[in-house]
Amino acid sequence: QVQLVESGGGTVQAGGSLRLSCAASGNIFRINTMGWYRQAPGKQREVVATITSGGSTNYADSVKGRFTISRDAAKNTGFLQMNSLKPEDTAVYYCNADGRVYGARREVWGQGTLVTVSS
């Protein structure tokens, strides 16, 4: 069974930084696109950033210039470096991976990690 395990969330003051990690269990999951999403209280889940297997990245306008998505393909791990954090960045952050397991397409979500930014 393929799982994504996230880590790195926590509480930080505005202007601070956090680095989230997302590790896929096992090496049978051939990941194409990895992404980070977030869901604030009372709001819908939204995409924060995505990265393809070729390294192409996309960011939500609200995080451009502050967040950086990256991945270590050899370790099946993704990262989200978050700088200059704002209170409005407070949310549960979810990792998502789209790929194949023994040729069959799979999409997997992590359990979420809470990021709280205090003013």
Side-chain angles (χ1 to χ4, degrees), residues 5-13 17-21 36-42 45 48 67 80 82 85-95 110-118:
V5 179
E6 299 153 355
S7 60
T11 300
V12 65
Q13 287 190 329
S17 298
L18 284 174
R19 180 178 168 89
L20 305 182
S21 298
W36 289 94
Y37 294 71
R38 66 186 181 187
Q39 187 166 16
R45 190 174 298 188
V48 175
F67 290 11
L80 185 68
M82 304 184 294
L85 283 161
K86 305 175 181 180
E88 52 263 44
D89 294 319
T90 295
V92 178
Y93 283 70
Y94 297 90
C95 177
Q111 81 284 359
T113 185
L114 179 61
V115 172
T116 303
V117 184
S118 60

Side-chain angles (χ1 to χ4, degrees), residues 4 6 17-18 23-24 26 34 36-37 41 45 49-50 57 63-64 67-70 79-81 105 108 111 114:
L4 298 179
E6 299 153 355
S17 298
L18 284 174
M34 293 190 80
W36 289 94
Y37 294 71
R45 190 174 298 188
T50 61
T57 58
V63 306
K64 282 181 180 177
F67 290 11
T68 302
I69 189 171
S70 61
F79 306 95
L80 185 68
Q81 178 67 43
R105 186 178 178 184
V108 184
Q111 81 284 359
L114 179 61

